[in-house]
Amino acid sequence: MSAKTEQSKVQRVLTGVTTTGTPHLGNYAGAIRPAIDMSNQPDVDAFFFLADYHALIKCDDADRVERSRLEIAATWLAAGLDTDRATFYCQSDIPEIPELSWILTCSTPKGVMNRAHAYKASVDANEAAGVEPDDGVTMGLYSYPILMAADILMFNAHKVPVGADQIQHIEMARDIAQRFNYHYGKGNEFFVLPEAQVDNEVATLPGLDGRKMSKSYNNTIPLFEGTAKDLQQAIAQIKTDSKLPGEPKNPDDSNLFAIYRAFVEPAKAEAFAQELREGLGWGEAKKMLGNELETIIAPMRERYVELMAKPEQIEEILLAGAEKARKISQPFIQEIRQAVGLRRFHAIGSETPNKVKEKTTKKSVKTPRFVSFKDDTGQFMFRLISTEGEELLRSVSFPNPQIAGQEIKALQSDPGAIEFTLVNDLYQLSLNGQLVAVAVDETEVGAEVWKAKLLNQLALFSAE
């Protein structure tokens, strides 16, 4: 690895999945697969969560919510989510989120909520039906954009992957954050202003009837539920035209081809399209699609079945993710509580311990983090993210995560044992004579300033 790295700022990306249903093929192609691919990028710090508080807005069937939480968690894990790299947790396991939601509720104008698309749609439907405008509207439905803002702002996400219909909610989160920063900040920007990330290249699969694949339309193809036979039977129901085998078919007008194209390499998709143009029968085409999908899905389905049989294993993974997330949320909510006046009692006019601390240090109470990831060859690396979200160092490659974890623990527990070697104005870090990591390019501040900053950040681990 080159001593100079091209990226010093890591982007935190956050997305949640509402736990009210069972993931289907469209969810995998449109959300799960691209999110997992994104989480494997070296400059992304990914936060994925089960939005189970949001589920209560849409669903009052407790058993359905419980089952969906398990199925969605198992699906993401079976699909290859690396929980050593990404932070994966249940929204309901982070008590600081609803607390922040209430604090933000107290500073969010009602007029902002009145403009929310979901609320306006409910009011319009009620008026069309001749009933009271707010008939059936719960406070959860009305104010859930604030809870969504709390999900995002608690971890100061830079990017939030959403569909076009969700852009308004990110804009509302920005507005809520700006209001809080302005009113309580006094020069301190508590919240990063998030940006919506809309990827127009992400596949949107048609369902069995040609409309967007959705549980609402009852036109989905199962992902892991059922067997290979169930998958093929669902594919057999895909709507096609009435052209017989031997008659040319237009792949651009084919829902079946749209699904096929989303799961294979371009060259293979073009070969399939050519076979359709040359008269490939729909029955044979559906078998070919089923075979392609089964090749991809079968290993993941096997892992999914194993996970579903061991819910306690899923629970352990989610709780470990929540513990990692709370290392950020717990100190941050204390900072927010302090800002709004929820402070420990003291004599009026005297300085609180927090005021004294603010005078002696301007640092945030946020903590630095080590983030693990795989390199292009499948080996394991890690990077150190500072309290300001800046990448300070990146490790060399290790053959397995256990060795990488041992080196992380050594850096955390004994910074004094680090051997620094200056090479081309950048420090290399060794432990026991072995190269462990290399400094990110800090030519703007100088190597010695970078070294001091690194040691300061590492000292925060032993202070926890």
Side-chain angles (χ1 to χ4, degrees), residues 224-291:
F224 300 145
E225 290 293 302
T227 63
K229 183 179 179 181
D230 295 321
L231 176 63
Q232 190 65 62
Q233 287 177 343
I235 292 170
Q237 299 175 47
I238 296 175
K239 184 178 180 180
T240 58
D241 61 34
S242 58
K243 291 182 178 178
L244 299 174
E247 292 186 84
K249 300 166 183 66
N250 184 356
D252 296 331
D253 293 336
S254 167
N255 300 324
L256 187 148
F257 176 69
I259 297 172
Y260 187 95
R261 181 176 53 194
F263 289 94
V264 300
E265 296 295 324
K268 198 166 190 175
E270 179 52 37
F272 185 71
Q274 186 59 33
E275 289 191 66
L276 289 172
R277 296 186 191 104
E278 294 173 357
L280 179 68
W282 287 123
E284 185 62 27
K286 289 177 179 179
K287 288 181 182 178
M288 291 172 66
L289 172 60
N291 290 337

Side-chain angles (χ1 to χ4, degrees), residues 44-330:
V44 169
D45 184 16
F47 278 60
F48 299 138
F49 67 96
L50 306 184
D52 46 1
Y53 279 144
H54 285 287
L56 303 183
I57 299 168
K58 301 178 180 181
C59 181
D60 59 4
D61 183 339
D63 292 338
R64 179 182 172 189
V65 171
E66 178 186 26
R67 178 73 179 179
S68 180
R69 293 167 83 241
L70 185 64
E71 290 174 341
I72 291 174
T75 297
W76 280 72
L77 294 170
L81 178 64
D82 184 350
T83 54
D84 288 332
R85 178 172 172 73
T87 304
F88 187 48
Y89 57 96
C90 269
Q91 180 188 37
S92 59
D93 285 331
I94 314 294
E96 294 79 23
I97 290 175
E99 180 175 356
L100 178 60
S101 180
W102 176 251
I103 291 173
L104 297 177
T105 297
C106 294
S107 61
T108 301
K110 179 175 179 290
V112 173
M113 294 297 99
N114 289 342
R115 296 192 292 272
H117 293 326
Y119 173 64
K120 289 177 65 177
S122 294
V123 170
D124 290 344
N126 285 337
E127 290 178 345
V131 298
E132 289 292 322
D134 287 332
D135 186 59
V137 176
T138 66
M139 286 307 299
L141 172 65
Y142 182 72
S143 61
Y144 88 91
I146 304 178
L147 177 58
M148 185 172 176
D151 292 326
I152 298 166
L153 300 178
M154 173 57 73
F155 299 106
N156 275 321
H158 301 98
K159 302 283 186 181
V160 185
V162 292
D165 59 335
Q166 292 283 313
I167 292 176
Q168 186 200 42
H169 292 138
I170 310 306
E171 294 173 345
M172 295 171 82
R174 289 174 62 89
D175 182 56
I176 290 168
Q178 285 176 314
R179 289 173 183 273
F180 190 94
N181 285 344
Y182 177 79
H183 187 76
Y184 292 107
K186 299 177 182 177
N188 183 15
E189 296 292 308
F190 289 99
F191 298 122
V192 169
L193 302 187
E195 296 180 7
Q197 180 173 295
V198 181
D199 189 349
N200 294 321
E201 299 300 318
V202 169
T204 300
L205 296 192
L208 302 176
D209 57 2
R211 293 180 293 177
K212 176 183 176 182
M213 192 177 294
S214 170
K215 284 281 188 181
S216 303
Y217 299 143
N218 193 31
N219 68 350
T220 62
I221 296 175
L223 181 57
F224 300 145
E225 290 293 302
T227 63
K229 183 179 179 181
D230 295 321
L231 176 63
Q232 190 65 62
Q233 287 177 343
I235 292 170
Q237 299 175 47
I238 296 175
K239 184 178 180 180
T240 58
D241 61 34
S242 58
K243 291 182 178 178
L244 299 174
E247 292 186 84
K249 300 166 183 66
N250 184 356
D252 296 331
D253 293 336
S254 167
N255 300 324
L256 187 148
F257 176 69
I259 297 172
Y260 187 95
R261 181 176 53 194
F263 289 94
V264 300
E265 296 295 324
K268 198 166 190 175
E270 179 52 37
F272 185 71
Q274 186 59 33
E275 289 191 66
L276 289 172
R277 296 186 191 104
E278 294 173 357
L280 179 68
W282 287 123
E284 185 62 27
K286 289 177 179 179
K287 288 181 182 178
M288 291 172 66
L289 172 60
N291 290 337
E292 288 290 347
L293 291 179
E294 181 61 18
T295 299
I296 297 168
I297 291 173
M300 295 189 290
R301 185 194 297 123
E302 183 178 352
R303 173 63 174 152
Y304 175 84
V305 171
E306 291 175 357
L307 287 164
M308 289 295 290
K310 299 177 181 178
E312 68 283 354
Q313 182 179 344
I314 298 176
E315 187 77 16
E316 288 177 6
I317 292 171
L318 289 169
L319 288 175
E323 182 179 359
K324 185 162 61 170
R326 293 195 72 196
K327 288 183 179 179
I328 299 172
S329 64
Q330 285 180 302

